[in-house]
């Protein structure tokens, strides 16, 4: 799902919406029931007749504060018992054709109407739980956490709860049962929770809320209504086991000659979820298996920094909002590339070669403990252990020896997060990496604060961080970093002033994603919103950003003070939604000449580049139509060689019916006369060679989806990425940062032709609540050479016909809930 779909699809709560000042806060008194309710999507159980109703919804968009009409009235009922909360409702429509319904899979909003229930069980207006259902009965859920823009939603969090829906001639109805095991709350005898309800009518572009939202004020939990009267509810014993069994058949066509290309394996393990008390939960994954996760979007990385990958492993995405505070935790470090992966090749003697060198460390187990007390103290502990990893080095006599590339390693993240009045919070985060043996350890600590005034209009925040590398290079090193920001977060006009600084010793890379230190960046952002429909547009937004970056300590070999400056820039952004429900926007960006201390790939060297300017236009059509499309055009120029860039992207989606859809996105990028690093030569590698080069890239992503039911589906994702880099002329970087004719002609072939092709075919069946059967076929082909193929089709054909890695796997995971099992035994 792209950024627009998340924005336009998932109740758009990230749009700075909160304290509502045009009507009073709503309240609903829930009633307890002793009657059994069948969750089938039809509100014909007798208990619903006495249930209190939430109605009279008000639009957030496209016309804020517009009341719903009688033809489209909303009615949502609430009941509870000793096991959980029941929600049932009916959403009226003029005709059946007014309802948007598509089978998309769990947590995929797609082209759907939906209803969402938002609970703030601690009434801290910062943390919440969301449960959604579509007219075809598919579920979505999320945890809400605070961020600098109000509230953020984590849709990777999954709970086990019941729902059903049914489409009628004049609307659609739904029922939910949310057991207390699927939500966290305090232990008061009489409880009131924050509540809001969102309804989306996709074809009209409407989003309506029970408690109205003001689109010009920060946050959305801050304006919630209240559900009262939850009496003597107690969290049950929460013990849930998810044992799994998987089988793999792998064929590695890229394996070296003489090694086994085909392997099979059978794996077993278990995920455990245990409620330590009413607020805290322990999650464990024992002997985890991540072989069926989606393939990474690999590219040819031409930057001096590592490529950052998305996390696709469920354990490290579900319920991790606490651990993401402070931006110190990059979960791909756990089970990532071994610390001494590259050293294995240096360790091989002239008569030896590296026979095996696994590129990933093996995770033994991982554990999370997280929750929040009644007084608003959130506590999180994450711990993971990876086993020692070895490369196999073989000599000419076939004698083998082991070389340790990664020691036994323990990763730990500890978080304290105290919520306060006025949606404010203060947090402490610590990450620690301990390695057995002689390798160094790492520790990073950060204190964060985020404070708002009583009217939720002004905001100030920041953090102070210290990093410690223990024993690296035979010594201990301590680094320092901080950030500070201040701004106005509510109203039509908002702004933010910020600064971020890290000294030349600060390093969080052992458990965090990190590119560079020794930098001080600061800037100003300001934006203005038009939220009422006017002219062609339903809503418009305009903002501008200006920033400046410099070093903290000089690293230029000549120690020149003028070389403390790094970079500066500005951008202007506009986006708006038209009356036809299209999104359109543009971005203008540019900056003056700058000093690049990283592209030379040699400490103390700098590359002085000229200024640049660029323009980007983009559009996205009405997503509710059976055929929708999007595109963008970027044109830019600048740099010492007057680089010219042209990037084009085009995407489209066709929905043949509610079950079957195809979407395809293509991106073509061309840069002519781009300056870039080519090689380091000389005995010490201190002669830096740059090139004036042409870079061409193509990325094609195809998704095909067919859902048999709301519990069973088949998806295919195919992605091809191709980049070729052709140097036109070579230069030598002098001590002043300028490019000169090389003193010695550079004749090395540094052409680059890179292809990455991945295909993921996934069949998934939820055969019981929380239980899944899946079959996954993966195919990966990756090539790199110094020869070019000008024709895209021939290049793709060469990639397909080359050596590939194939994997066919079957996995069964079965959900066992202690309470459900105990109740079944009682009935017997």
């Amino acid at each position: 799902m792209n950024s627009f779909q998340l924005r336009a699809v998932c109740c758009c709560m990230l749009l700075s919406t909160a304290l509502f000042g045009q009507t009073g806060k709503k309240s609903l008194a829930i009633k307890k029931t002793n009657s059994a309710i069948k969750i089938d999507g039809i509100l014909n159980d007798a208990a619903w007749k006495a249930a209190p109703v939430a109605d009279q919804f008000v639009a957030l968009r496209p016309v804020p504060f517009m009341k719903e009409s009688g033809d489209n009235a909303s009615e949502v009922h609430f009941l509870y018992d000793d096991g959980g909360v029941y929600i049932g409702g009916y959403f009226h429509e003029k005709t059946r054709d007014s309802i948007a319904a598509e089978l998309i899979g769990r947590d995929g909003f797609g082209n759907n109407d939906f209803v969402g229930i938002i609970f703030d069980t601690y009434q801290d207006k910062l943390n919440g739980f969301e449960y959604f259902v579509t007219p075809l009965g598919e579920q979505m859920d999320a945890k809400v956490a605070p961020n600098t823009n109000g509230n953020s939603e984590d849709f990777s969090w999954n709970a086990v709860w019941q729902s059903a829906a049914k489409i009628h001639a004049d609307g659609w109805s739904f029922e939910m049962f949310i057991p207390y095991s699927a939500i966290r709350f305090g232990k008061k005898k009489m409880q009131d929770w924050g509540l809001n309800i969102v309804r989306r009518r996709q074809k009209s572009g409407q989003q309506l809320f029970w408690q109205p939202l003001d689109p010009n004020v920060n946050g959305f939990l801050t304006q919630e209504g209240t559900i009262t009267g939850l009496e003597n509810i107690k969290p049950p014993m929460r013990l849930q086991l998810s044992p799994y069994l998987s089988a793999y058949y792998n064929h590695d066509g890229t394996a070296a000659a003489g090694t086994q290309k085909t392997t099979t394996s059978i794996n077993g393990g278990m995920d455990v979820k245990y409620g330590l008390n009413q607020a805290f939960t322990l999650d464990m994954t024992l002997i985890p298996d991540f072989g069926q996760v989606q393939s990474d979007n690999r590219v040819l990385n031409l930057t001096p920094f590592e490529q950052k990958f998305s996390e696709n492993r469920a354990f490290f995405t579900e319920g991790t909002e606490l651990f993401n505070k402070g931006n110190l935790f990059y979960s791909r470090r756990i089970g990532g590339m071994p610390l001494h992966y590259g050293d294995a090749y240096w360790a091989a003697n002239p008569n030896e070669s590296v026979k095996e060198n696994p590129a990933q460390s093996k995770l033994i187990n991982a554990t999370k403990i997280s929750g929040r007390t009644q007084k608003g103290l959130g506590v999180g502990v994450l711990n993971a252990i990876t086993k020692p990893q070895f490369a196999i080095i073989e000599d000419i006599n076939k004698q083998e020896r082991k070389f340790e590339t990664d020691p036994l390693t323990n990763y730990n993240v500890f978080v304290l997060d105290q919520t306060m009045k006025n949606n404010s919070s203060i947090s402490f985060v610590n990450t620690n990496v301990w390695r057995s043996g002689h390798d160094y350890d790492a520790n990073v600590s950060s204190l964060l604060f985020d404070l708002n005034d009583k009217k939720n209009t002004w905001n100030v925040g920041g953090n102070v961080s210290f990093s410690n590398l223990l024993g690296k290079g035979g010594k201990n090193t301590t680094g320092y970093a901080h950030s500070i920001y201040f701004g106005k977060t509510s109203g039509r006009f908002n702004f933010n002033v910020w600064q971020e600084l890290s000294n030349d010793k600060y390093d969080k890379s052992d458990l965090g994603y990190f590119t560079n230190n020794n930098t001080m960046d600061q800037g100003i952002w300001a934006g203005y919103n038009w939220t009422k429909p006017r002219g062609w547009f339903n809503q418009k937004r305009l903002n501008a950003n200006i920033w400046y970056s410099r070093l903290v300590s000089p690293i230029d070999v000549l120690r020149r003070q003028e070389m403390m400056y790094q970079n500066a820039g500005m951008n202007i952004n506009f986006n708006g939604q038209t009356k036809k429900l299209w999104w359109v926007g543009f971005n203008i960006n540019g900056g003056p000449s700058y000093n690049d201390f990283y592209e030379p790939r040699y400490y103390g060297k700098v590359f002085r580049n000229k200024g640049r300017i660029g323009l980007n236009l983009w559009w996205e059509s009405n997503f509710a139509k059976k055929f929708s499309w999007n595109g963008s055009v970027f044109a830019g120029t600048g740099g010492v060689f007057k680089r010219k860039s042209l990037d084009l992207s085009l995407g489209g989606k066709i929905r043949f019916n509610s079950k079957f859809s195809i979407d395809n996105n293509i991106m073509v990028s061309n840069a002519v006369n781009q300056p870039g690093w080519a090689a380091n030569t000389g005995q010490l590698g201190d002669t830096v060679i740059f090139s004036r080069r042409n870079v061409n890239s193509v990325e094609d992503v195809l998704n095909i989806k067919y859902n048999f039911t709301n519990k069973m589906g088949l998806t295919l994702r195919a992605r091809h990425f191709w980049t070729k880099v052709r140097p036109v002329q070579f230069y030598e970087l002098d001590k002043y940062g300028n490019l000169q004719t090389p003193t010695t002609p550079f004749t090395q072939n540094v052409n680059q032709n890179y292809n990455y092709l991945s295909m993921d075919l996934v069949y998934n069946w939820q055969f019981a609540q929380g239980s899944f059967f899946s079959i996954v076929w993966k195919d990966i082909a990756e090539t790199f050479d110094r020869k070019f193929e000008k024709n895209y089709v021939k290049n793709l054909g060469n990639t397909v016909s080359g050596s590939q890695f194939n994997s066919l796997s079957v996995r069964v995971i079965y959900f066992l809930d202690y309470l459900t099992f105990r109740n079944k035994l009682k009935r017997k």
Side-chain angles (χ1 to χ4, degrees):
M1 186 180 297
N2 63 35
S3 60
F4 162 69
Q5 289 170 325
L6 281 175
R7 182 175 65 246
V9 163
C10 66
C11 64
C12 293
M13 295 172 185
L14 307 180
L15 282 177
S16 48
T17 52
L19 281 171
F20 179 71
Q22 298 198 12
T23 62
K25 295 299 178 96
K26 293 185 176 181
S27 179
L28 183 143
I30 195 171
K31 289 187 177 181
K32 190 171 185 178
T33 181
N34 295 315
S35 303
I37 297 178
K38 182 180 180 181
I39 305 300
D40 57 7
I42 304 173
L43 280 70
N44 55 4
D45 299 280
W48 290 121
K49 294 180 180 180
V53 61
D55 55 9
Q56 298 182 12
F57 283 39
V58 177
L60 170 66
R61 63 180 51 85
V63 182
F65 312 123
M66 177 180 285
K67 296 181 179 180
E68 63 184 0
S69 66
D71 292 332
N72 309 123
S74 307
E75 302 162 4
V76 181
H77 304 265
F78 287 81
L79 294 167
Y80 78 103
D81 63 13
D82 293 334
V85 179
Y86 296 87
I87 307 107
Y90 201 103
F91 297 119
H92 295 269
E93 296 286 354
K94 287 184 178 181
T95 66
R96 186 188 184 101
D97 292 338
S98 301
I99 303 168
E102 176 190 17
L103 289 172
I104 196 70
R106 201 183 200 281
D107 286 333
F109 285 85
N111 183 45
N112 277 301
D113 291 358
F114 64 70
V115 59
I117 309 298
I118 305 109
F119 288 128
D120 173 9
T121 55
Y122 294 98
Q123 288 192 297
D124 61 9
K125 304 185 186 302
L126 290 170
N127 301 276
F129 301 86
E130 300 178 338
Y131 308 87
F132 300 84
V133 68
T134 72
L136 293 177
E138 290 188 318
Q139 293 182 350
M140 299 80 75
D141 43 26
K143 287 185 76 173
V144 182
N147 69 8
T148 55
N149 295 316
N151 299 107
S152 65
E153 296 160 300
D154 176 14
F155 282 93
S156 64
W157 177 77
N158 287 314
V160 178
W161 47 285
Q162 298 179 49
S163 66
K166 185 175 179 59
I167 296 176
H168 308 274
D170 63 343
W172 63 283
S173 58
F174 77 95
E175 289 179 310
M176 295 181 183
F177 174 65
I178 302 173
Y180 296 134
S181 60
I183 198 166
R184 305 292 175 266
F185 52 89
K187 54 183 179 180
K188 292 181 179 178
K189 180 178 180 180
M190 183 67 72
Q191 299 204 26
D192 298 338
W193 293 353
L195 170 69
N196 211 341
I197 311 164
V198 57
R199 174 190 179 185
R200 183 174 74 173
R201 301 181 64 238
Q202 174 73 349
K203 291 185 177 180
S204 68
Q206 273 194 315
Q207 284 195 309
L208 306 109
F209 286 81
W210 171 65
Q211 174 66 56
L213 301 183
D214 184 339
N216 289 316
V217 186
N218 179 51
F220 65 88
L221 289 183
T222 52
Q223 61 76 58
E224 64 200 10
T226 307
I227 186 168
T228 64
L230 291 154
E231 187 174 1
N232 289 327
I233 61 171
K234 297 179 181 180
M237 179 178 180
R238 293 181 283 117
L239 176 59
Q240 298 167 346
L241 308 177
S242 297
Y244 81 86
L245 182 67
S246 63
Y248 289 83
Y249 176 88
N250 299 326
H251 178 78
D252 188 358
T254 65
T259 61
Q260 187 175 0
K261 294 181 180 292
T262 301
T263 60
T264 59
S265 64
I266 297 178
N267 310 301
M270 182 182 295
D271 292 340
V272 179
K273 189 181 292 286
Y274 175 64
L276 301 175
N277 56 31
Q278 78 277 5
F280 289 88
T281 303
L282 179 146
D283 290 274
M284 294 185 67
T285 179
L286 307 174
I287 318 177
D289 174 21
F290 301 124
Q292 290 192 338
V293 299
Q294 180 179 296
S295 303
D296 286 326
N297 291 335
R298 294 189 177 273
V299 300
L300 177 62
N301 186 6
L302 298 177
T303 75
F305 310 117
E306 69 169 315
Q307 181 184 356
K308 186 177 183 180
F309 295 105
S310 299
E311 179 60 85
N312 297 317
R313 299 172 295 179
F315 180 85
F316 293 107
T317 61
E318 295 179 2
T320 56
E321 71 284 345
L322 271 176
F323 304 107
N324 293 327
K325 285 185 174 293
N327 197 27
L328 299 182
F329 178 47
Y330 176 42
S331 58
R332 290 294 296 262
R333 292 282 183 248
I334 301 173
M337 182 174 288
L339 182 66
H340 300 294
Y341 175 82
D343 295 343
Y345 300 95
W346 292 98
N349 297 319
N351 65 336
E352 293 179 320
S353 62
V354 178
K355 181 180 179 181
E356 296 179 17
N357 192 10
Q360 292 182 330
S361 298
K362 184 69 174 179
L363 182 63
I364 299 174
N365 62 60
T367 304
K368 294 181 295 192
I369 297 176
S370 62
R372 189 170 297 274
T373 69
Q374 185 70 46
K375 294 184 178 181
L377 177 62
V379 181
V381 179
L382 185 149
N383 189 268
I385 301 174
T386 57
K387 66 190 300 185
Q389 195 72 53
F390 296 90
I392 305 298
I393 299 176
E394 184 181 66
D395 65 17
I396 56 177
N397 298 316
K398 303 298 182 181
Q399 296 296 312
E400 297 180 352
R401 65 184 178 94
K402 288 184 176 181
F403 176 83
E404 186 178 77
T405 57
D406 211 31
L408 176 71
T409 305
N410 185 88
Y411 301 89
N412 191 81
V413 184
F414 174 68
V415 182
L416 295 174
D417 176 55
Q418 178 64 59
T419 60
M420 300 184 295
K421 291 182 179 180
N422 307 323
N423 321 310
S424 302
S425 65
I426 185 169
S427 309
F428 172 77
V429 183
N430 174 266
T431 65
N432 187 80
V433 179
W434 173 87
R435 299 180 175 97
S436 65
H438 301 292
D439 284 303
Y440 75 95
D441 303 324
N443 187 283
V444 182
S445 296
S446 183
L447 181 67
L448 306 91
F449 65 98
D450 186 75
L451 308 175
N452 298 284
D453 71 327
K454 291 183 178 180
K455 295 183 178 180
N456 195 31
T457 300
W458 299 95
N459 172 255
V460 63
N463 70 74
V464 176
S465 303
F466 293 92
S467 68
N468 289 280
L469 302 181
L470 308 175
K472 187 172 185 178
K475 62 180 182 179
N476 298 339
T477 304
T478 298
Y480 168 82
H482 77 243
S483 72
I484 186 75
Y485 54 85
F486 169 75
K488 181 175 179 287
T489 55
S490 294
R492 296 179 65 178
F493 172 73
N494 299 312
F495 72 90
N496 185 269
V497 182
W498 57 272
Q499 183 192 77
E500 296 178 350
L501 180 147
S502 61
N503 70 8
D504 59 355
K505 294 180 175 58
Y506 182 74
D507 188 347
K508 64 175 183 178
S509 61
D510 288 272
L511 197 46
Y513 179 77
F514 189 62
T515 55
N516 59 285
N517 55 18
N518 190 24
T519 183
M520 181 171 68
D521 306 331
Q522 45 265 310
I524 301 174
W525 175 93
Y528 194 84
N529 304 326
W530 294 265
T531 56
K532 293 183 179 180
R534 189 173 298 174
W536 290 359
F537 289 91
N538 286 326
Q539 55 180 287
K540 294 176 290 186
R541 287 170 177 78
L542 180 68
N543 64 71
N545 185 38
I546 302 174
W547 55 273
Y548 172 86
S549 175
R550 56 163 289 167
L551 298 178
V552 176
S553 303
I555 63 174
D556 167 43
V557 291
L558 300 180
R559 312 296 288 183
R560 293 168 293 177
Q561 285 298 315
E562 67 268 23
M563 298 304 289
M564 295 285 284
Y565 161 71
Q566 288 195 97
N567 208 341
M570 62 86 64
N571 58 68
I572 299 173
N573 309 281
F574 169 84
N575 69 79
Q577 186 192 48
T578 72
K579 295 291 182 64
K580 298 291 186 181
L581 304 185
W582 283 49
W583 285 88
V584 296
F586 69 81
N587 166 275
I588 301 173
N589 61 83
S593 298
Y594 61 96
N595 298 319
D596 191 335
F597 295 92
Y598 313 105
E599 186 64 17
R601 324 290 168 101
Y602 191 88
Y603 183 81
K605 296 280 188 176
V606 61
F607 167 51
R608 306 186 74 172
N609 205 357
K610 300 293 185 181
R612 70 283 182 195
I613 189 169
L615 171 66
N616 181 56
L617 306 173
W618 61 269
W619 63 93
E620 293 168 333
S621 73
N622 185 350
F623 188 65
K625 302 293 185 181
K626 286 192 173 183
F627 173 74
S628 59
W629 66 295
N630 63 83
S632 68
V633 179
F634 170 81
T637 185
V640 294
F641 301 128
K642 297 182 180 179
R643 167 192 52 83
K644 293 180 175 59
S645 298
L646 180 63
D647 301 342
L648 305 173
S649 70
L650 191 65
K653 181 172 183 176
I654 302 176
R655 279 185 294 270
F656 297 94
N657 51 46
S658 63
K659 296 182 177 181
F660 181 40
S661 67
I662 298 176
D663 69 80
N664 188 214
N665 291 276
I666 300 174
M667 183 276 294
V668 179
S669 176
N670 295 281
V672 179
N673 294 332
Q674 179 191 83
W677 173 86
N680 287 8
T681 63
Q683 290 185 344
L684 300 177
D686 57 349
T687 300
V688 180
I689 303 299
F690 268 60
S691 71
R692 175 170 60 86
R693 64 195 185 187
N694 298 335
V695 181
N696 307 101
S697 299
V698 178
E699 183 181 41
D700 189 358
V701 181
L702 173 69
N703 290 283
I704 301 175
K705 180 266 305 178
Y706 188 88
N707 281 56
F708 303 96
T709 68
N710 60 4
K711 305 292 184 183
M712 181 190 301
L714 183 68
T715 61
L716 171 67
R717 183 182 190 269
R719 175 182 178 268
H720 177 228
F721 179 86
W722 177 33
T723 291
K724 59 180 181 179
V725 181
R726 183 173 65 87
V728 177
Q729 189 172 352
F730 295 103
Y731 301 84
E732 184 176 321
L733 186 68
D734 68 18
K735 64 181 179 180
Y736 300 104
N738 301 313
L739 301 180
Q740 309 291 346
T741 301
T743 54
T744 301
F746 182 78
T747 58
Q748 182 179 338
N749 183 359
V750 291
N751 294 344
Q752 299 182 73
N753 190 73
Y754 175 80
N755 285 272
Y756 188 81
L757 175 67
S758 63
M759 285 186 280
D760 297 78
L761 180 64
V762 180
Y763 168 80
N764 197 47
W765 172 34
Q766 183 179 346
F767 60 88
Q769 192 175 27
S771 303
F772 298 89
F773 172 76
S774 58
I775 303 174
V776 176
W777 174 72
K778 297 166 70 76
D779 180 84
I780 297 175
E782 187 175 23
T783 64
F784 178 86
D785 54 55
R786 303 296 185 183
K787 298 179 181 179
F788 292 139
E789 174 58 67
K790 295 182 179 180
N791 185 286
Y792 174 82
V793 176
K794 288 184 178 180
N795 176 79
L796 178 59
N798 293 339
T799 305
V800 172
S801 61
S803 299
Q804 301 175 23
F805 173 83
N806 290 273
S807 173
L808 179 65
S809 59
V810 178
R811 189 169 190 257
V812 179
I813 183 168
Y814 193 78
F815 175 77
L816 298 169
D817 180 70
Y818 167 78
L819 287 179
T820 302
F821 183 72
R822 187 189 66 179
N823 292 336
K824 285 183 178 179
L825 291 179
K826 285 183 176 181
R827 286 194 292 268
K828 290 182 179 180

